[in-house]
Amino acid sequence: MPPALPGDDEVLRALLRRRDSGDRADGHTIALAVSGGGMRGAYAGGMVHALDDAGLGPAFDVVYGSSAGAYVGAGLLLGSGRGSSHIFFEDMACRAFIDLRRFPRRPLVSLDHLLDDVLVRSKPLHWDRLRDSPVPLRVIATAADDLRPHVLAPTTSAEWKLALRATASIPLLAGPPVELHGRRWIDGSVTEPVPVLRALRDGATHVLALFTRAATELRRGPSGPARWARASTWSRPASG
């Protein structure tokens, strides 16, 4: 282990122990929380690439992602960490994906290009494997009716595609709300850009958070723990 890791490094040690022993029966629930941020997702993509190269991807129990973070998290679950980082500069830094000249007649960002071209031809996303992954991906989206964050629950490959569209859909900028399960959804980053507290509420004992903003840009919620807003990792203290 490097001698000086930011924040609480116990989550990294727990991941390394799982990787090196091949044993996940340690009583922990280790979550990965990947923040959104549009093209800032390139930073999270690079981190996921490093996790994949280090063989730590299979050590997580659950992955949470908002907006671009959901796409990056999906890449880790499917073993394509390299694609999660390279997709931003190889396939998305172009006018086919984002073009200011389209506004206001069409959205600036083309999710059609991403979902129907890039994730089909250049870097295919295997929807069936994502649907059947033993490690769940919790996709965060914002309900248009109450403007609150929710975890989407897709059950088919077609619904998974809608869920990933929904978590990145920003009206005017990236398309209208997406309908799924009788409700309309928009970008998850609007209400829950870094789903760390959600992971803790769901029972995670350790959370590795991938931030796409500098520490100086992060703000602590009124009831959240101070440490996670300043560090790259967080683990729940042992009880007793």
Side-chain angles (χ1 to χ4, degrees):
M1 295 287 293
L5 292 169
D8 182 353
D9 64 8
E10 173 54 25
V11 62
L12 297 178
R13 296 186 187 280
L15 289 168
L16 289 170
R17 286 194 295 267
R18 284 187 170 187
R19 182 199 66 183
D20 296 342
S21 69
D23 184 8
R24 300 166 59 90
D26 52 15
H28 301 319
T29 298
I30 305 179
L32 178 70
V34 190
S35 68
M39 292 298 284
R40 287 177 180 262
Y43 295 108
M47 298 178 215
V48 161
H49 191 177
L51 289 171
D52 208 11
D53 283 352
L56 296 177
F60 291 98
D61 295 299
V62 59
V63 176
Y64 294 80
S66 291
S67 192
Y71 290 82
V72 170
L76 179 71
L77 291 182
L78 299 179
S80 57
R82 181 184 183 279
S84 292
S85 60
H86 283 233
I87 190 173
F88 290 93
F89 62 87
E90 290 182 350
D91 305 285
M92 295 168 61
C94 61
R95 284 182 172 171
F97 179 65
I98 182 167
D99 190 346
L100 296 177
R101 298 174 301 177
R102 288 198 286 259
F103 189 79
R105 292 175 297 142
R106 291 180 294 159
L108 299 178
V109 173
S110 174
L111 294 179
D112 289 339
H113 171 69
L114 175 60
L115 289 162
D116 299 328
D117 186 7
V118 176
L119 296 183
V120 172
R121 299 179 180 84
S122 175
K123 294 177 177 59
L125 195 155
H126 300 286
W127 301 102
D128 291 347
R129 287 181 54 208
L130 183 61
R131 177 198 63 199
D132 300 332
S133 171
V135 177
L137 174 64
R138 309 294 190 206
V139 178
I140 312 299
T142 301
D145 53 5
D146 64 9
L147 291 182
R148 294 175 62 86
H150 300 263
V151 174
L152 299 182
T155 58
T156 67
S157 296
E159 288 182 352
W160 270 104
K161 190 173 182 179
L162 284 174
L164 285 183
R165 178 183 288 272
T167 191
S169 183
I170 303 176
L172 296 181
L173 295 180
V178 174
E179 185 167 338
L180 179 63
H181 297 162
R183 299 184 73 175
R184 298 165 72 241
W185 305 96
I186 60 174
D187 192 294
S189 289
V190 172
T191 51
E192 193 168 7
V194 190
V196 172
L197 296 182
R198 179 179 295 274
L200 294 172
R201 289 194 298 267
D202 287 350
T205 57
H206 298 67
V207 181
L208 179 66
L210 307 185
F211 295 119
T212 57
R213 294 182 179 273
T216 54
E217 299 177 87
L218 299 175
R219 294 183 299 172
R220 179 180 56 149
S223 60
R227 284 164 52 188
W228 75 260
R230 297 196 303 268
S232 61
T233 61
W234 200 93
S235 64
R236 185 189 298 276
S239 60

